[in-house]
Amino acid sequence: MDIAVCADKERQYVALARGMSVAIAGHRVPGRVDAPSLLPFSAPERSFIAAAPVELRASRLTRLWTRKEATLRLSGGGFSRAGLVDVLCEGREGRVVVPDAGPSTWHGPNVAYVHDVPDDAGVVVSVATSCPVREVFVWQLDRVPITA
């Protein structure tokens, strides 16, 4: 059984997975998007953020960041490679290739499967698993489980 925990100033989240690795990331949506906040994103990701209506850009940026953070935590590759990992993927579960991740115990060549957790009032949470799964269970401490 693999367990992953993440915390921000107000919340803590836990994800559990059996027979695979799991990582989780969650962040509050910022009030605005500024130029420095776009630095860890690839050109296609930046275009995707910029294409959103102004009032949705911060939410879109935060969704991509939590996907990227969960993927990088899963790969163990570190955040210096954030610009190399493109997390534009369709739907609630997406396949993300992690270039040059090195040796891993993942199923397949350096691939993470990213799951978007349903949004909760200005907070975005994403989970990455090492194998495709139908559901991921996430707990916000002192709340009922969320199915992603």
Side-chain angles (χ1 to χ4, degrees):
M1 182 76 65
D2 195 20
I3 185 169
V5 178
C6 78
D8 66 10
K9 294 177 184 174
E10 302 168 12
R11 296 169 177 79
Q12 291 185 330
Y13 294 93
V14 176
L16 294 174
R18 179 176 291 164
M20 70 190 77
S21 298
V22 63
I24 186 169
H27 292 282
R28 178 164 293 287
V29 176
R32 63 185 172 87
V33 174
D34 55 16
S37 64
L38 295 171
L39 291 175
F41 296 99
S42 66
E45 291 169 330
R46 290 178 189 180
S47 295
F48 179 71
I49 293 165
V54 173
E55 66 274 8
L56 297 178
R57 286 183 189 158
S59 179
R60 190 173 275 191
L61 177 141
T62 308
R63 171 63 64 205
L64 292 181
W65 176 251
T66 59
R67 287 178 178 180
K68 191 175 293 264
E69 184 176 337
T71 299
L72 290 169
R73 285 181 177 188
L74 184 73
S75 74
F79 293 99
S80 64
R81 296 181 25 240
L84 301 175
V85 176
D86 190 327
V87 293
L88 287 175
C89 42
E90 301 280 328
R92 290 183 57 205
E93 176 187 339
R95 184 177 183 271
V96 175
V97 175
V98 183
D100 302 317
S104 75
T105 58
W106 297 2
H107 297 263
N110 304 323
V111 173
Y113 297 88
V114 179
H115 309 267
D116 295 336
V117 175
D119 292 354
D120 180 27
V123 176
V124 176
V125 178
S126 297
V127 176
T129 59
S130 58
C131 299
V133 294
R134 292 174 43 119
E135 292 180 319
V136 176
F137 293 98
V138 175
W139 287 263
Q140 179 180 332
L141 297 187
D142 75 347
R143 293 187 72 188
V144 297
I146 304 166
T147 303

